[in-house]
Amino acid sequence: MVKSTLIARVADGLPLAASMDDEESQDLSEYKNQARMLVKKLSTAEQRCSLDSNQYIFHYLIEFGVVYLALCEKGYPKKLAFAYLEELQHEFNQVHGNEVTTVARPYAFVRFDSFIQKTKKQYKDVRAQRNMQKLNEDLGDVTRIMNKNIQDVLGRGEQLEGLQFKSQTLAQESKKYLKDTKNLNLQALYQKYGPPVIVLLIVAFVLYIRTWWS
């Protein structure tokens, strides 16, 4: 069954809506933390993917710059998990699609949880007639959806962030090097031409004084 759901903006990982999961007896805080980290790493990820995480599995799909992420039991059918996410995507895009790029505060669409909870209950029982029909429908070849370990994605994000940090550091060091080089060049010019210029100024001043007083 679906244990938890998170909807976020892909560009910056901003959470837009989530399931409250008050009825869950298990402590899902560790997995919810993983989910919040995960949605920040998906800007260049596959449109659909399944990620193993210990006893659970994350399924996600990305549409129109929004990621829909569901934490499910490992035995829950992948076809149903993605059918569930597609229903959320269709409804969320219809209701809030035009607002996604403009919101700035987290969980701006917290009221969408009511639809999440209603849909989650519909997908709870795999043997329900509605869900059995979906399992028999042609909902696309979910077997082609890639399976990964969540640490592969989180680790890749950390590597990319490390490369970005190194690039920024290199750029800052380059700017500092150019600035130091300019300062050294100026100092060299002062040392080379400074004394003769001072002498010329003194001579010119002395000549001016003599001319003025003569």
Side-chain angles (χ1 to χ4, degrees):
M1 62 179 290
V2 178
K3 308 296 288 184
S4 184
T5 306
L6 177 63
I7 300 173
R9 191 165 57 196
V10 174
D12 54 6
L14 181 75
L16 302 173
S19 56
M20 296 298 102
D21 308 320
D22 294 332
E23 76 282 2
E24 297 293 343
S25 58
Q26 299 96 330
D27 182 9
L28 300 176
S29 57
E30 175 187 351
Y31 297 96
K32 290 186 177 185
N33 287 334
Q34 284 185 339
R36 285 189 287 269
M37 289 190 292
L38 181 61
V39 295
K40 295 179 180 179
K41 315 279 186 181
L42 299 178
S43 57
T44 58
E46 298 85 0
Q47 295 299 104
R48 295 176 180 230
C49 193
S50 298
L51 303 170
D52 287 320
S53 181
N54 297 326
Q55 68 188 89
Y56 296 112
I57 185 166
F58 286 102
H59 301 286
Y60 75 79
L61 69 84
I62 298 174
E63 290 286 349
F64 304 113
V66 178
V67 56
Y68 303 83
L69 182 74
L71 177 70
C72 302
E73 294 174 337
K74 281 197 171 180
Y76 192 73
K78 181 185 282 189
K79 184 177 277 191
L80 282 185
F82 280 96
Y84 166 75
L85 291 174
E86 286 172 359
E87 282 201 37
L88 296 187
Q89 184 275 322
H90 180 73
E91 180 69 15
F92 187 85
N93 188 59
Q94 278 197 332
V95 178
H96 299 298
N98 294 330
E99 306 170 70
V100 169
T101 58
T102 59
V103 295
R105 61 184 177 87
Y107 303 103
F109 310 117
V110 65
R111 292 184 180 179
F112 191 74
D113 177 55
S114 59
F115 182 84
I116 294 176
Q117 296 299 340
K118 181 182 74 173
T119 310
K120 187 177 169 183
K121 287 178 182 177
Q122 292 174 348
Y123 281 86
K124 184 175 183 178
D125 185 0
V126 176
R127 294 169 297 179
Q129 182 179 358
R130 176 182 184 274
N131 294 331
M132 292 299 294
Q133 288 176 348
K134 286 188 176 292
L135 285 171
N136 293 324
E137 289 175 1
D138 182 12
L139 298 176
D141 190 0
V142 295
T143 60
R144 294 186 179 182
I145 295 175
M146 190 174 294
N147 268 71
K148 295 182 180 181
N149 187 285
I150 191 170
Q151 293 304 326
D152 293 338
V153 178
L154 294 179
R156 181 186 64 186
E158 290 169 0
Q159 290 173 2
L160 290 174
E161 288 174 358
L163 288 173
Q164 185 179 14
F165 176 76
K166 289 178 181 178
S167 298
Q168 292 173 346
T169 302
L170 183 60
Q172 291 173 354
E173 289 178 351
S174 297
K175 289 180 181 179
K176 184 177 182 299
Y177 173 77
L178 289 173
K179 184 178 180 181
D180 291 344
T181 302
K182 289 180 180 179
N183 290 335
L184 288 172
N185 289 337
L186 285 173
Q187 289 177 10
L189 288 173
Y190 292 151
Q191 291 175 356
K192 183 176 181 179
Y193 298 107
V197 170
I198 292 173
V199 171
L200 287 174
L201 288 173
I202 293 172
V203 171
F205 179 75
V206 171
L207 291 175
Y208 173 77
I209 294 297
R210 286 184 178 181
T211 304
W212 177 262
W213 290 101
S214 61

